[in-house]
Amino acid sequence: FLELCEALGAEPLITVNVVTGTVDEAARWVRATNVSRMKSRLTGKVLPAVKFWELGNEPYLKEQSRSDIDLQPEEFARRVDQFIPAMRAVDPAIAIGLPLTSDTRGTIPVTPYQGFTRKVLSRLRHDFDYACLHNAYMPFGYKRGMAAEDLYWGAAAGAAPVQSGLAAMSGLLEELRPERQIPLAVTEYNAVFTLGRGETDNWIASPAGAIFIADVLRVFSQTPELLLATHWSLSANWLFGAI
């Protein structure tokens, strides 16, 4: 991964495993990349250090077939409070991101743990540096039998709810952490039309999908509180691969 970042001149971001991983494992990742350092097998040079870290992936979702990896918000906050100081002790210069979510996209609930962000931040004792969001997957036709025209216009208008979602999260963070201005990071985004619905799944790679991506990049560029945005995914992940 770091060799790919080296080749592209890209900024690496690593997500540590707070569900089945350990605090020591996360600290050792930071030590390996930023203190001991690694050498590129391609160029022989020291690989880039990793400034940006994320604490877990979408902890506000529940995988129906994997009840063993579900985390209640209170438990997630407890674990995060252990990970943050251990990672900072190895490298105080890292920037640590916390995955958070609004309760809804428009009127649609997007987490089974309603009040997730409020519950986590009300219990968290240690500071984090930025909030990680996955609120830019659009138009996401979650209903069966949605008309092609509805999906198309949903993509064309998809950047609007992304923009309002970013504003809503900024407002929530200002309410819950009034003493700090916490930047946002969209650590996954892409067009998503349907999942497991057949041909419309492939529209991720269509001109309509490209229209959404172009428009959401406009929104990102016009959002001053946005620290970074990372496309999911560059090389390959089912239909998501940009290459």
Side-chain angles (χ1 to χ4, degrees), residues 175-197:
E175 175 192 341
L176 299 175
R177 289 291 189 275
E179 72 284 0
R180 296 182 57 214
Q181 189 170 14
I182 300 172
L184 308 178
V186 180
T187 52
E188 289 185 22
Y189 71 91
N190 204 338
V192 174
F193 287 81
T194 56
L195 294 175
R197 304 288 170 83

Side-chain angles (χ1 to χ4, degrees), residues 152-170:
Y152 175 82
W153 287 116
V162 173
Q163 188 169 28
S164 61
L166 293 173
M169 180 54 71
S170 289

Side-chain angles (χ1 to χ4, degrees), residues 57-77:
N57 180 64
E58 299 178 347
Y60 41 78
L61 297 183
K62 182 181 290 188
E63 176 57 61
Q64 298 300 325
S65 62
R66 290 291 308 276
S67 59
D68 58 309
I69 63 172
D70 287 346
L71 284 184
Q72 295 291 326
E74 297 81 1
E75 175 61 16
F76 177 67

Side-chain angles (χ1 to χ4, degrees), residues 15-107:
T15 301
V16 296
N17 181 359
V18 301
V19 180
T20 61
T22 66
V23 172
D24 180 62
E25 178 186 59
R28 285 188 289 117
W29 270 116
V30 178
R31 183 171 299 281
T33 59
N34 293 9
V35 179
S36 304
R37 306 295 294 273
M38 301 179 185
K39 278 193 175 181
S40 171
R41 296 166 297 178
L42 305 177
T43 65
K45 296 179 181 179
V46 176
L47 285 165
V50 181
K51 176 181 179 180
F52 295 105
W53 297 79
E54 185 171 355
L55 299 176
N57 180 64
E58 299 178 347
Y60 41 78
L61 297 183
K62 182 181 290 188
E63 176 57 61
Q64 298 300 325
S65 62
R66 290 291 308 276
S67 59
D68 58 309
I69 63 172
D70 287 346
L71 284 184
Q72 295 291 326
E74 297 81 1
E75 175 61 16
F76 177 67
R78 188 189 70 81
R79 295 190 189 193
V80 163
D81 262 333
Q82 295 176 338
F83 275 70
I84 291 175
M87 294 168 68
R88 290 204 199 279
V90 177
D91 183 359
I94 61 174
I96 296 178
L98 189 66
L100 300 172
T101 186
S102 300
D103 288 345
T104 61
R105 302 279 184 274
T107 60

